[in-house]
Amino acid sequence: MTQVLWLVSGLLFCCALAIGTDAEAADGEFNYDESKVPEYKLPDPLKMPDGRTVTSSDMWKAERRPELLELFRSQVYGQRPRKPEGIRYEVRESTPAELNGKGLRKDVRVLAPSKSGRRMELLKFVLITPKDAKGPVPAFAGVLLIEPTLKDLNPGRPLPDDVGVKLPGMKLLETILDRGYAVVSLDPANFCPDDKEKHRDGVLEFLYPGRKGDPAAEEPGAIATWAWGLSRALDYLETDPAIDARRVAVIGHSRRGKTALWAGAEDERFALVISNDSGCGGAALSRRKFGETVARINTVFPHWFCGNFKSYNNNEDSLPIDQHELVALSAPRPVYVASAVDDGWADPKGEFLAALNAEPVYKLFGLAGLGTSEQPPLNKSVGDYVGYHIRTGKHALTDYDWLFYLDFADKHLKR
Ligand code: GCU
């Protein structure tokens, strides 16, 4: 029983390092007053630099999308790491007792040949599939979506304190499996540690040996590297007959919500994108400077973004993009942005406005967005191809959020 509870809370483990959001929220240096949000003008996702307006989905795909993607690469997240040749997988299967017979677990190691000719581990992830599925199933994939409980992955990692509110008696992972989805959880610990001193120690050292320090101008930061890792997990899923790799949703909370949005932008094989409380550098508009700012995130987490992003510290108006255009890079795939009302640090309103301002791109495809231009009441999910809710409570990925995501995925991935 304890194990089951641990697993369930583990599934909500998404924030081990998010220390002190409330403390940050109390800090007078940051703005939490809507009346003090500066005036700003968002870049128009449909305006090309040469003055032309994007008028069709074809023009979006052929011209505007690649241009925006490149701006986010060069100015925010860094260039995509290359994919090494000769990747192989090593898979270990088990049936964890914690899952009450409902799930099959695979521990997948992604290996690439090193200079010495030996295969080295690039990354590893856990895949849990519903045991009695009749055919290939859709999946949710994310960074640390499951606490690597699942003991042997990472013994002794402490549980975070914001594992979230749980509906009484609910066993989340079992619910997800019962509803016919698999779960993929990428462990960043050795692959690209979330640490400014050590983020290069895994795959970045393998790909760019000998480099040191913070990411250079256009070098991938940790977010781009984690996103790249999710694509490598998706490569594997394409080879696994238990999974329908055309129906994989990428999802994440907070820093991993930023990662989910970027993974979806870089890799259009992800069929659906979900960002939970992703905040600054995720769904929140940078120009609002509400809660966490570009300068703050770049100072405290210099390893997350590329070097160029730092030139926008206290200089948001000169950004050639804003985060609504990141949300728009999901189009025409369904995208869901979610906020929590007591999570001012992540700027719930800025997250909503990014979703809203992504809509013109969905319209090009004839797809409906949020269906409202006002932030909806608490705990109500709105939207068709662009989904949104703002939940009561704090910064966390809760069971409650998951139930909305399952419904959204049912609507889009099971039709
Ligand atoms: C910090 C950081 C946020 C981030 C969060 C998390 O609070 O400032 O940008 O989203 O950690 O990942 O939980």
Side-chain angles (χ1 to χ4, degrees), residues 15 18 21 24 254-255 258 278 292 297 301 304 345 395:
C15 211
T21 302
E24 286 151 358
S254 208
R255 66 197 68 188
K258 311 180 208 295
S278 59
E292 186 171 28
I297 206 167
F301 305 101
W304 281 2
W345 186 241
H395 186 71

Side-chain angles (χ1 to χ4, degrees), residues 33 48 85 135 181 185 340 359 372:
D33 180 348
M48 307 278 298
E85 301 287 319
Y181 293 90
S185 178
E359 282 188 349
T372 172

Side-chain angles (χ1 to χ4, degrees), residues 141-252:
V143 176
L144 281 186
L145 213 49
I146 307 174
E147 142 73 8
T149 346
L150 296 173
K151 300 154 283 216
D152 38 353
L153 258 186
N154 230 326
R157 185 181 298 178
L159 273 179
D161 43 14
D162 78 333
V163 288
V165 200
K166 282 166 221 102
L167 299 181
M170 169 155 250
K171 299 185 207 144
L172 180 56
L173 184 51
E174 282 186 45
T175 301
I176 296 173
L177 295 170
D178 283 343
R179 287 183 60 164
Y181 293 90
V183 175
V184 177
S185 178
L186 172 68
D187 181 5
N190 302 315
F191 150 63
C192 176
D194 188 6
D195 183 308
K196 61 182 171 208
E197 311 295 340
K198 299 197 189 112
H199 80 285
R200 290 180 181 277
D201 285 1
V203 77
L204 291 175
E205 175 60 26
F206 177 80
L207 293 172
Y208 313 108
R211 296 195 194 169
K212 300 265 177 286
D214 295 343
E218 295 196 16
E219 254 193 310
I223 290 174
T225 310
W226 298 330
W228 176 91
L230 290 169
S231 289
R232 302 292 69 83
L234 186 53
D235 297 342
Y236 165 80
L237 298 177
E238 288 182 329
T239 71
D240 188 326
I243 302 294
D244 180 353
R246 288 160 311 166
R247 292 189 291 148
V248 177
V250 62
I251 176 172

